[in-house]
Amino acid sequence: MTKAQQILGPMRVPFLVLPPACVALGTGTAIWSSGEISVLHIVLAFVGAVATHISVNAFNEYFDFKSGLDLRTRATPFSGGSGTLAAHPEAARTALITASSALAVATLIGIYFLTVWGLALLPLGVLGLILIVIYTPWMTRIPFLCMIAPGLGFGPMMTMGTDFVLTGTYTWTAFIASLVPFFLLVNLLLLNQFPDVEADQTVGRRNYPIAIGRKNASVIFAIILVCIYLTPIVGWALDLLPAWALLALGTLPLGVITAIGAYRYADDLEKLAPYMGFNVILNIVTPILMAVGLFIAA
């Protein structure tokens, strides 16, 4: 394995499309509410978001390898890790360095924005750093925290954080828009936990598919899906979002198909796999559609 492969594997590069979607949504709310933004700040927000996600992924790979989980999981294109460290244990140190370096980049960008906008950004930044470091070794053992942590990271922290670093203020518009990626990421991680139930149990993890079973967890998935599509409707009804933001509802048919498939095939992991793919599409396309609507309205 080349050095580049040792670095890129734990990054889980195919999943790094999520931060651009969230940054696009945060940029959309900023443009719609303020009208003027800095291109430099957009670039820095994008780099910081991607660095944060790289750090999360690489730390997750490292801790899962150290716990032995990677050797027990049945990898799918959407769960079970990249398999890099399981196949090449010598790459573990590289993964840890990658995670730490990406975290340092995100931190430095955060410090820059603190000098621009002041300490109001600090709570989001500190909470984000805490989530990155403690998610895999601690939060994965508490079902509710395990479920909402990814949503917090990509929703209020990344999406609303992007709006803040572009405008210098917190707004209800940015908050309610950030709930879309919040609920989407909750569902993304929830469904991706289904194939790993047996393996996760061996290392002490406790999430909802373990605690209440996959079938019952698929009901939670459906409830969260309703929340995803209610969010832009409520935002529009409260005059916090323009009507164009309802473009996010364009993925509703695929969402319904995904929820039905998750319930029907909760315990048939081979048949569940396509619906896990649909869920990834929802996470990318829904916030982008909403962002496009905000750009048009602006």
Side-chain angles (χ1 to χ4, degrees), residues 94-206:
T94 300
L96 183 59
I97 292 172
T98 298
S100 302
S101 299
L103 182 60
V105 170
T107 301
L108 288 174
I109 291 174
I111 291 172
Y112 166 76
F113 281 123
L114 284 174
T115 66
V116 174
W117 300 115
L119 295 179
L121 181 62
L122 193 59
L124 279 185
V126 170
L127 186 55
L129 291 175
I130 292 173
L131 282 179
I132 291 171
V133 175
I134 72 172
Y135 174 73
T136 301
W138 184 67
M139 298 183 78
T140 54
R141 301 173 186 273
I142 304 172
F144 181 72
L145 293 181
C146 179
M147 183 176 73
I148 68 168
L152 289 173
F154 285 86
M157 291 176 201
M158 190 175 293
T159 304
M160 189 167 67
T162 296
D163 182 281
F164 181 90
V165 300
L166 296 179
T167 65
T169 186
Y170 293 112
T171 67
W172 286 109
T173 291
F175 173 73
I176 198 161
S178 76
L179 293 181
V180 171
F182 169 78
F183 290 124
L184 283 165
L185 264 295
V186 166
N187 262 0
L188 180 66
L189 271 293
L190 180 63
L191 196 59
N192 284 356
Q193 289 164 349
F194 281 32
D196 299 337
V197 165
E198 290 78 14
D200 284 345
Q201 286 177 304
T202 66
V203 295
R205 287 191 174 183
R206 185 169 172 78

Side-chain angles (χ1 to χ4, degrees), residues 33-46:
S33 61
S34 68
E36 294 184 9
I37 55 174
S38 164
V39 175
L40 172 62
H41 288 178
I42 293 176
V43 173
L44 289 176
F46 172 80

Side-chain angles (χ1 to χ4, degrees), residues 187 190-191 194 212-223 225 254-269 271-276 278-279:
N187 262 0
L190 180 63
L191 196 59
F194 281 32
I212 63 176
R214 295 186 183 98
K215 184 69 77 172
N216 289 329
S218 71
V219 175
I220 295 178
F221 180 92
I223 293 171
L225 186 76
L254 183 61
V256 173
I257 291 170
T258 304
I260 293 172
Y263 182 80
R264 181 175 296 170
Y265 302 118
D267 294 308
D268 188 338
L269 300 182
K271 292 184 178 179
L272 179 67
Y275 299 95
M276 295 174 68
F278 295 159
N279 199 27

